[in-house]
Amino acid sequence: MAKQDELVFLPLGGVGEIGMNLALYGYGPADHRQWIMVDCGVTFPGPDLPGVDLVLPDIRYLATERKSLKAIIITHAHEDHYGALADLWPGLNVPVYASPFTAGLLEAKRNFEKDAIGEVPVTIFKAGDTINVGPFSIEGVAVNHSIPEPMSLMIRTPLGNVIHTGDWKIDHEPSLGPLTDENRFRQLGDEGVLALMCDSTNALRDGVSPSEKDVSESLRKIIENAEGRVAITTFSSNVGRIRTVAEAAEAAGREVLLLGSSLKRVVDVSRDIGIMEGIKPFISEDEYGYIPRDKVVVILTGSQGEPRAALAKLSRDEMRNVALAAGDIVVFSSRAIPGNEKAIQDIKNGLVEQGVHIITDGEALVHVSGHPRRNELQKMYQLVRPRIVVPVHGEATHLTAHKELAEQSGIASVPRVRNGDILRLAPGPAEVIDEAPHGRIYKDGSLIGDFDEMGIGERKKLAYVGHVAVNVVLDSRYDIIGEPDLVAIGLPVYDDEGDEMEDTLFDAVIGAVESIPRARRKDLDMVQEAIRRAVRAAANHAWGKKPVVTAFLTKV
């Protein structure tokens, strides 16, 4: 008997967390499925991952399915949707489909990053286009979001149609198109939609997101009424917001300075594809100091408290040609990503100390999310009329709130899905039928590996308790030659009695060796371990913590 074809959904990132979005759709019998990947994003490390640059989805499941992966489709160029592509694609080597803006940003990043892996070939795919790969036919559908050229995907298969929304919202007056194509979604609903995989980021928020037009008007008034300089920090990918600020500045008779390499890359790509048409050239940093304070606007990176970004440097007064002064205004035209609050507050404090006035979305309408609130989600259900809704893009609270909303809205099936779950969409009722290996891998410098391979656990230990290296040399009679070498890094200088910590540890080394009878010192491994233990014990007695200790023992 022939094995039954199935349509399955497998998220390897972004479901149960914010960021690192990566979804797989599979079609065929369980032992011979063909796959497509939608998005390939990153998330950013917190202080619990010292030294790590990026967090990537673990795609080891695809190691066995690699020959069955037919394509990668990118919905838009936010880092949490495309940021892992350059690092993970070489192990997959399949066709990539993305918009002109996404392709341009990918190329610009490759040219900018010195450790970038080779070029990822991209086939241009835009809203309104259709591609056919294996058993899948994928149509791009225009949606509005806080970045150019976002799209949802209509994925047609012999067992039913699936809409993967990506990130979206309904804004009838955005600063930058496209509009969410409600008419096309309604037509797709008429065609029949088995399942809707839908953004849950704002599922806890009632009503409808404010329009970008309202944000534009608010920013325009701030710029017009400001007596000094105005600096506006936003996500570098929010081209619509950048364009709005530039237009408002020009209307107010002000010049515009861009600060931040990622911002400049985005603007360069936007100019290349015509999105910045009509916006006059920006000034250089060298010109900034010669322009009156009431005649300049700065658009800059650093809205999330990044310590090396332009705003952080300004808050520390570390820039050579650019500075702020008392009476200037800094506008945070962004939301704080959870976990970044402390870093953002540190920057605000530095600016306030300089006499700079801060405006956030708590004081004025200077930012609006690019994700749908509850009424917009219900509008999408009404347009496409899916039999199944699968909440994606969110942490547990977002996914659960979205699940409850969908059920209250009359959706027949709203399965609970998390990263690694293999959800069978058809045939039969939607249910989780298996679990795939999943997790996180880490980019650290130019290397990529898992938690243990990258030494992150040991590095975390070092951050808490420091490291002691000690080297002891024994002569032919197994007595110590000279004095042991000892280096302590990250330990207190003095112990609890006011003695130098290194002296305390040095005495512990001598004591450990001399306490072992000479005849037993022939067991060098035992002596080496005794030294290591003695140093840890001495540090713990004097400090209350046990450092990482590396002992070297040589017999001559």
Side-chain angles (χ1 to χ4, degrees), residues 120-137:
V120 177
V122 176
T123 299
I124 297 301
F125 174 61
K126 307 184 298 294
D129 294 345
T130 297
I131 55 176
N132 296 293
V133 287
F136 303 95
S137 178

Side-chain angles (χ1 to χ4, degrees), residues 498-542:
D499 296 326
E500 288 198 14
M501 181 68 77
E502 288 195 10
D503 289 344
T504 299
L505 302 182
F506 183 90
D507 292 342
V509 174
I510 298 294
V513 176
E514 292 183 347
S515 68
I516 302 171
R518 186 178 283 109
R520 294 189 60 203
R521 293 180 201 168
K522 294 178 181 179
D523 186 347
L524 297 181
D525 290 341
M526 182 269 291
V527 177
Q528 185 174 359
E529 179 63 12
I531 294 170
R532 191 188 72 83
R533 287 176 175 270
V535 171
R536 277 170 58 86
N540 187 42
H541 178 76

Side-chain angles (χ1 to χ4, degrees), residues 116-372:
I117 298 169
E119 181 178 1
V120 177
V122 176
T123 299
I124 297 301
F125 174 61
K126 307 184 298 294
D129 294 345
T130 297
I131 55 176
N132 296 293
V133 287
F136 303 95
S137 178
I138 303 117
E139 175 187 343
V141 185
V143 290
N144 186 250
H145 187 44
S146 56
I147 195 170
E149 302 176 348
M151 57 187 143
S152 294
L153 303 177
M154 172 66 155
I155 303 170
R156 296 178 174 88
T157 80
L159 284 174
N161 300 334
V162 175
I163 291 179
H164 185 105
T165 66
D167 289 352
W168 65 282
K169 63 178 286 191
I170 295 175
D171 187 342
H172 296 293
E173 295 181 295
S175 58
L176 187 69
L179 295 173
T180 294
D181 194 342
E182 296 179 47
N183 185 54
R184 186 57 185 151
F185 279 112
R186 188 178 291 107
Q187 292 171 349
L188 298 177
D190 292 341
E191 181 181 333
V193 174
L194 171 66
L196 175 70
M197 277 55 185
C198 191
D199 182 2
S200 307
T201 308
N202 274 343
L204 292 161
R205 305 190 70 178
D206 288 323
V208 175
S209 299
S211 173
E212 189 68 33
K213 181 182 179 183
D214 298 329
V215 176
S216 301
E217 181 63 20
S218 180
L219 291 172
R220 184 184 63 78
K221 288 179 180 177
I222 291 170
I223 292 170
E224 285 180 350
N225 296 331
E227 296 180 359
R229 304 179 187 94
V230 179
I232 298 176
T233 183
T234 190
F235 296 107
S236 61
S237 58
N238 197 333
V239 176
R241 190 81 45 83
I242 296 165
R243 186 181 173 94
T244 289
V245 172
E247 289 171 339
E250 185 172 354
R254 292 180 180 239
E255 302 289 341
V256 177
L257 170 68
L258 294 184
L259 287 180
S261 56
S262 62
L263 193 63
K264 293 173 183 177
R265 284 201 306 274
V266 167
V267 168
D268 286 345
V269 172
S270 299
R271 285 197 188 281
D272 288 345
I273 63 175
I275 295 175
M276 298 299 286
E277 192 172 333
I279 301 298
K280 70 177 188 178
F282 301 116
I283 64 171
S284 69
E285 291 183 35
D286 292 338
E287 298 174 85
Y288 175 85
Y290 298 98
I291 298 174
R293 290 176 57 208
D294 62 348
K295 296 298 181 184
V296 67
V297 170
V298 183
I299 307 174
L300 71 167
T301 57
S303 67
Q304 297 308 304
E306 302 95 323
R308 292 179 290 178
L311 185 60
K313 291 178 182 177
L314 278 182
S315 75
R316 301 188 297 262
D317 195 18
E318 291 179 354
M319 299 198 78
R320 185 166 59 91
N321 296 321
V322 181
L324 298 175
D328 292 342
I329 293 172
V330 170
V331 180
F332 281 79
S333 185
S334 57
R335 64 179 174 87
I337 295 173
N340 293 341
E341 295 87 353
K342 173 67 167 59
I344 294 170
Q345 188 58 45
D346 287 346
I347 287 175
K348 289 179 180 177
N349 287 334
L351 294 168
V352 169
E353 287 284 7
Q354 297 177 31
V356 173
H357 180 54
I358 306 292
I359 299 177
T360 69
D361 60 356
E363 289 89 55
L365 183 58
V366 294
H367 177 66
V368 64
S369 171
H371 303 271

Side-chain angles (χ1 to χ4, degrees), residues 471-475 479-482 484-485 552-556:
N471 181 47
V472 177
V473 180
L474 301 181
D475 63 17
D479 288 325
I480 297 176
I481 299 176
D485 294 315
F552 300 95
L553 182 64
T554 305
K555 178 183 172 294
V556 295

